[in-house]
Amino acid sequence: MATEDEFPWHPDIPAMLTDQTSACKPAREAIAAGAEVKVWDSEVPQWMVAGIAATRLRRSLKRGLQETIGLDETVEILARYRGEQLRTGTILAADRLWFFNLYFDATGTELLACSGVNLSRRPSTKDSLEP
């Protein structure tokens, strides 16, 4: 069953996952299937989360080992919020095969982007050490 951390506000994550990126529908389906949902109540600078997403995208494209959904769209969307504070969250599918990152506005009332990575296709330690 999906869970959410305690907040003064309780976002309806499935309702917020509309069509921001191509990862929204699989993320909604993961929640319906019992995924673990966490949303943090602290704000982080846009440059930090945008930088992490961009690095994940570059590495994913370079290695070609991980299947991602909506990561390229997420990087583009986060670039539009330069200088702003954002909130983040995660969804871990019940079967542990997919992990989704959620990106919200500073108030946590608007979902800006969602990206996902297939954990079953993670590179081995040996693969990650190769150039």
Side-chain angles (χ1 to χ4, degrees), residues 4 11 13-14 16-17 20-21 23-24 27-28 31 36-40 44 49 56 74 78 86-92 99-105 110-116:
E4 293 180 11
I13 303 299
M16 296 173 92
L17 286 161
Q20 293 90 342
T21 70
C24 291
R28 265 193 328 271
I31 293 171
E36 180 181 327
V37 178
K38 292 184 181 181
V39 179
W40 285 268
V44 293
V49 294
R56 284 183 184 142
T74 294
L78 293 176
L86 305 175
R87 293 183 191 225
T88 60
T90 60
I91 300 169
L92 178 59
F99 182 84
F100 298 92
N101 286 291
L102 304 171
Y103 304 93
F104 301 89
D105 67 352
E110 180 184 358
L111 181 70
L112 307 175
C114 174
S115 63

Side-chain angles (χ1 to χ4, degrees), residues 15-104:
M16 296 173 92
L17 286 161
T18 55
D19 293 323
Q20 293 90 342
T21 70
S22 56
C24 291
K25 183 179 180 199
R28 265 193 328 271
E29 292 169 351
I31 293 171
E36 180 181 327
V37 178
K38 292 184 181 181
V39 179
W40 285 268
D41 192 28
S42 58
E43 297 175 10
V44 293
Q46 173 273 348
W47 62 264
M48 184 181 296
V49 294
I52 292 168
T55 299
R56 284 183 184 142
L57 179 60
R58 279 193 304 276
R59 287 182 179 164
S60 176
L61 292 172
K62 180 180 177 182
R63 294 182 182 155
L65 298 174
Q66 287 187 318
E67 181 182 353
T68 62
I69 302 173
L71 187 53
D72 53 342
E73 299 161 282
T74 294
V75 169
E76 289 178 24
I77 291 168
L78 293 176
R80 297 180 206 150
Y81 293 89
R82 187 163 309 212
E84 295 187 31
Q85 295 289 323
L86 305 175
R87 293 183 191 225
T88 60
T90 60
I91 300 169
L92 178 59
D95 61 9
R96 305 291 197 242
L97 295 180
W98 282 92
F99 182 84
F100 298 92
N101 286 291
L102 304 171
Y103 304 93
F104 301 89

